Amino acid sequence: MEEKTRKVGSKFSSDDADEIFNKLDKIDSNESKKSNKNLESQMKDVSELLNEAKSSPDDKAVELFKKVLVIMPDNVDAYVGIADIYKKQGNVGGEIDILKKAVLNVEGSSKSDLMKRLKEIS
């Protein structure tokens, strides 16, 4: 790791300042680890919710897919899951609404697929 050049004020010795900065670096590092664990936990939650939704009755599945979207608003599988349920139920308005939300929140090639599906039913 590259050594940082740090300014030291007149009230601290270089050693005292290094000790303080090293503690701050350690705190930053721990926060980064917590953030990564949080992300991993969220990904696991999303995966579990998606799996449960796929094997649930329609009403409960929609609820679970929506929980996924609260955690991860760009999750294509959740949008498609809800849209598929609405299509199966003949709820064209609901399908259009959820696809519009998906197009606003999703990027990449998935967005193109969602736009194509939206055009086909509009």
Side-chain angles (χ1 to χ4, degrees), residues 58-88:
D58 290 349
D59 291 343
K60 184 173 182 185
V62 169
E63 217 175 281
L64 293 168
F65 284 131
K66 286 181 178 181
K67 285 182 181 181
V68 167
L69 293 173
V70 168
I71 298 169
M72 190 179 279
D74 63 344
N75 189 286
V76 176
D77 291 335
Y79 287 113
V80 170
I82 295 170
D84 288 347
I85 290 169
Y86 288 159
K87 181 178 182 175
K88 183 171 79 172

Side-chain angles (χ1 to χ4, degrees), residues 73 79 98-107 111 114-115:
Y79 287 113
I98 198 68
L99 290 172
K100 284 180 180 178
K101 287 178 186 174
V103 168
L104 291 174
N105 290 300
V106 173
E107 294 298 326
K111 184 173 188 162
L114 293 165
M115 288 172 62

Side-chain angles (χ1 to χ4, degrees), residues 44-63:
K44 184 179 176 188
D45 290 346
V46 165
S47 179
E48 288 173 2
L49 286 169
L50 286 172
N51 286 334
E52 186 178 345
K54 290 174 184 175
S55 62
S56 294
D58 290 349
D59 291 343
K60 184 173 182 185
V62 169
E63 217 175 281

Side-chain angles (χ1 to χ4, degrees), residues 23-60:
K23 285 181 181 178
L24 289 172
D25 287 344
K26 187 174 180 183
I27 290 170
D28 285 343
S29 175
N30 286 339
E31 289 301 318
S32 177
K33 287 178 186 173
K34 284 181 188 174
S35 176
N36 286 342
K37 284 183 183 177
N38 223 2
L39 182 60
E40 289 172 16
S41 175
Q42 284 184 333
M43 294 300 290
K44 184 179 176 188
D45 290 346
V46 165
S47 179
E48 288 173 2
L49 286 169
L50 286 172
N51 286 334
E52 186 178 345
K54 290 174 184 175
S55 62
S56 294
D58 290 349
D59 291 343
K60 184 173 182 185

